[in-house]
Amino acid sequence: MSGVIVLLELEPSTEVLDAGEVDVGARIRWVHAAPSDPEVPEDPGPATFCGIATSDLEREPYSPTEPGAPWYPPSQRTRRCRSCEAALRAL
């Protein structure tokens, strides 16, 4: 799926969580998809497919490796944004 960048919406951090944090995955609220910026294709555009500003999200290094692979990391299946997914299906 070319031109799609995966981004993470994280839970607000706290000092206690940051000090003893081991599993960053526990802080993931939602996994979003954004189109790539036409001028800088390795960067996301200004908003996700569901309309959230990408400036507030963390980049996820995952990208599908084969046709038919999900746009999101398989380990984050339950946290994928359904609105982003619907927009991707409509493309």
Side-chain angles (χ1 to χ4, degrees):
M1 188 169 292
S2 178
V4 173
I5 296 176
V6 179
L7 300 165
L8 303 175
E9 180 181 352
L10 302 178
E11 293 286 343
S13 62
T14 65
E15 288 183 45
V16 174
L17 180 65
D18 288 340
E21 184 173 70
V22 174
D23 181 11
V24 174
R27 291 183 58 208
I28 298 171
R29 180 180 286 169
W30 294 109
V31 179
H32 295 279
S36 60
D37 184 317
E39 294 180 20
V40 186
E42 51 278 347
D43 288 343
T48 64
F49 285 105
C50 68
I52 295 175
T54 58
S55 60
D56 296 333
L57 304 175
E58 296 286 326
R59 178 84 181 250
E60 163 62 51
Y62 172 83
S63 62
T65 56
E66 59 189 52
W71 62 267
Y72 51 86
S75 63
Q76 300 299 328
R77 181 180 59 82
T78 60
R79 293 184 176 145
R80 71 189 187 273
C81 174
R82 304 297 180 147
S83 297
C84 285
E85 188 164 70
L88 285 167
R89 284 189 183 141
L91 293 179

